[in-house]
Amino acid sequence: MFKLKEQRQLSIQLAVLLAASALSVITGVVFNKELDKMMPDKRSSSTFNQKASGLSGLYELTHRLGYKVARFELPYRQLQGRGQTLVTVAPPETLKEFEVDQIVKWVKKGNTWIYLDDFSFYSASDILAKLKLSAKTTGINKKIDQKTNKQSSLESVDFKPETIYVHPVEKFEENKDVGGLKIEPICRMNGGEPIVEDSLGSIISMVPLEKGKVIVGGLVSICENRTVSKIEYWSNFQFLENWMSTAGGTILFDERAHGYTGGTNVFIRLSRGPFGLLAVQLALILFIGVASGIQRFGRAVAIDSSRRISNLEYINGLANTWSRARANKLILEILFASFRTRLSRALGLAVYEKDDKFAASLKEKLQTLKSDANANVFEEYQEALKGDALKDEQVNAIVSSCDKIGADLGLGKVK
């Protein structure tokens, strides 16, 4: 058990340790967050990404402009409603065929899909084929023209896209009030209606699909975090915001394509139903039981079991109890057993030897010492135990004889 002073010292030490640990954790998180902003990823166009390559700035800007925005993290089959816009930018892996079919089916109901990618993977051509589009890599490092195929991709090419200034096509209402765009196109599109184009071809195209439309672009850095604070890039944000708002509904930033999922944990889902209510009731019953048990019995306290009276008082009290209970035989057996044990050492005999052998050895020893002690104490002890009732005088006589023998042999008194 800790003393009160030690408990206070321990509490203070634990509090200081927790405070220091919390401070170090907070400092580490803030440091990592600031460091992440300064060290961009190669490709991570996600709204969760605070780095220079992310789209968190565009997400925050759209939200502050008063639009209904949300992050979409569910399977594409759960896309519902009309008049909404899904924004998918540079997914790390090309969307699967069935996922594209689910999105296209949703678009045809009257929604908009903005899909911006570098189409560096050959599998991305399947998506373009569904939209009756094709792409080729152009405008890279002095306008080197290289078509993507199964054997090559842009990731294996060691050069960067060329930055260009271009004005969007003015015939579209969404392109009005938009200045020149400063972009880094990676490829040019064939097919669809050009929204942004230059001398090399269409950079961003629109494909009508029944009641909806798909906007496809061969660039991924149009609205990255690193450009939101630079005035020469503001037209890029205005351009994309105009086209995101054409549907008029919720603007959904696709995070499913970046590996985020909004699936509900099975335990959380069960906790919202009858199983959750049952678990809460059982927990409440358990809490009440523990609390009532503590109130009834109190905390565990160590009890001092040491005797509080002296040994002499204890012996006298025990002897008085036995005397009142007329347990003279028991008293004599206990005292004589103690005498027999000490006598065995003096005579060189084992404790388990018979009384006759003890008596013969004792007589021989007393004769050698020329002692006048009672050598027949063993016979008297055996006779005393045969009777029905043993008087105090008989017990005292045998004990006195044992004390006399003990004194002559140097054994001390019977205890």
Side-chain angles (χ1 to χ4, degrees):
M1 300 291 292
F2 291 106
K3 295 182 179 179
L4 182 60
K5 184 177 180 180
E6 294 176 347
Q7 289 180 348
R8 290 179 179 176
Q9 292 178 351
L10 182 60
S11 300
I12 294 174
Q13 292 174 358
L14 289 175
V16 172
L17 178 61
L18 291 176
S21 301
L23 182 61
S24 63
V25 171
I26 294 173
T27 303
V29 170
V30 173
F31 176 78
N32 290 335
K33 187 175 181 180
E34 294 299 323
L35 184 63
D36 286 346
K37 292 180 181 179
M38 295 164 41
M39 300 179 65
D41 293 335
K42 185 177 180 182
R43 55 181 287 170
S44 181
S45 300
S46 168
T47 59
F48 289 112
N49 186 17
Q50 300 294 328
K51 299 182 180 182
S53 59
L55 293 179
S56 56
L58 177 62
Y59 178 84
E60 182 67 21
L61 179 63
T62 309
H63 176 70
R64 293 193 180 189
L65 288 174
Y67 295 102
K68 290 181 62 177
V69 295
R71 292 184 173 98
F72 186 79
E73 303 175 15
L74 300 174
Y76 296 112
R77 65 175 181 274
Q78 296 191 28
L79 286 168
Q80 298 177 355
R82 293 179 174 85
Q84 299 181 359
T85 303
L86 179 67
V87 182
T88 305
V89 181
E93 296 182 2
T94 304
L95 300 180
K96 297 178 175 60
E97 183 178 359
F98 73 90
E99 293 177 326
V100 178
D101 293 337
Q102 292 170 350
I103 296 175
V104 169
K105 182 179 179 181
W106 172 75
V107 169
K108 291 180 179 179
K109 295 179 181 179
N111 299 286
T112 301
W113 182 26
I114 300 177
Y115 179 42
L116 305 178
D117 199 358
D118 56 17
F119 302 107
S120 58
F121 297 105
Y122 177 78
S123 56
S125 61
D126 295 337
I127 299 178
L128 298 177
K130 288 182 178 292
L131 302 174
K132 298 180 180 180
L133 295 173
S134 62
K136 61 178 180 178
T137 58
T138 58
I140 300 177
N141 193 19
K142 298 182 180 180
K143 301 179 181 179
I144 295 176
D145 189 51
Q146 177 184 348
K147 295 183 179 180
T148 56
N149 51 51
K150 292 183 179 181
Q151 287 75 29
S152 62
S153 67
L154 289 182
E155 291 187 349
S156 63
V157 181
D158 189 17
F159 41 72
K160 296 181 180 180
E162 184 179 31
T163 301
I164 64 172
Y165 294 88
V166 63
H167 286 271
V169 179
E170 295 182 355
K171 71 175 183 178
F172 294 97
E173 184 70 23
E174 293 82 0
N175 288 344
K176 292 183 178 180
D177 301 326
V178 177
L181 305 178
K182 185 178 181 180
I183 56 180
E184 298 174 354
I186 299 174
C187 61
R188 298 302 189 271
M189 314 296 302
N190 291 324
E193 298 183 46
I195 299 176
V196 179
E197 62 180 352
D198 63 356
S199 59
L200 296 177
S202 175
I203 300 173
I204 302 177
S205 298
M206 182 186 66
V207 179
L209 289 178
E210 297 183 4
K211 298 180 180 180
K213 58 181 177 291
V214 179
I215 299 171
V216 183
L219 70 170
V220 297
S221 60
I222 185 171
C223 290
E224 289 183 341
N225 293 337
R226 62 184 173 87
T227 63
V228 71
S229 60
K230 300 178 181 179
I231 191 171
E232 63 267 25
Y233 288 95
W234 286 359
S235 295
N236 297 1
F237 289 87
Q238 183 66 56
F239 166 78
L240 199 56
E241 181 270 330
N242 287 352
W243 282 96
M244 287 192 299
S245 62
T246 54
T250 304
I251 300 174
L252 303 172
F253 285 85
D254 187 4
E255 294 298 341
R256 173 77 179 184
H258 293 278
Y260 297 94
T261 175
T264 305
N265 185 280
V266 63
F267 296 102
I268 297 177
R269 186 175 182 85
L270 291 176
S271 65
R272 294 175 180 173
F275 293 100
L277 296 176
L278 179 61
V280 171
Q281 292 178 354
L282 293 176
L284 182 61
I285 294 172
L286 179 61
F287 173 77
I288 294 174
V290 173
S292 62
I294 294 174
Q295 293 293 328
R296 179 178 179 183
F297 299 105
R299 64 175 185 173
V301 178
I303 300 176
D304 187 7
S305 59
S306 60
R307 194 186 311 135
R308 299 183 182 276
I309 61 176
S310 66
N311 292 334
L312 183 59
E313 290 176 343
Y314 176 75
I315 293 172
N316 291 335
L318 187 61
N320 183 45
T321 301
W322 284 351
S323 178
R324 292 174 62 185
R326 295 183 180 182
N328 288 340
K329 284 187 178 182
L330 178 60
I331 295 173
L332 183 58
E333 288 178 353
I334 294 173
L335 295 177
F336 199 81
S338 176
F339 167 73
R340 180 191 178 94
T341 301
R342 291 182 291 112
L343 182 62
S344 64
R345 300 195 202 103
L347 299 179
L349 298 175
V351 180
Y352 54 81
E353 294 290 350
K354 296 183 178 180
D355 290 349
D356 296 341
K357 191 170 183 178
F358 265 93
S361 299
L362 178 60
K363 290 178 181 180
E364 183 179 351
K365 187 70 174 179
L366 293 176
Q367 289 176 0
T368 305
L369 297 175
K370 298 180 180 180
S371 172
D372 57 350
N374 184 12
N376 298 320
V377 66
F378 277 90
E379 288 83 352
E380 293 179 358
Y381 168 70
Q382 294 173 358
E383 289 294 333
L385 295 180
K386 293 179 180 179
D388 295 333
L390 186 60
K391 296 180 179 181
D392 294 342
E393 292 79 6
Q394 291 177 285
V395 175
N396 293 334
I398 295 174
V399 172
S400 298
S401 299
C402 292
D403 289 341
K404 175 64 174 172
I405 294 172
D408 292 345
L409 299 181
L411 304 177
K413 294 184 177 180
V414 177
K415 297 181 180 180

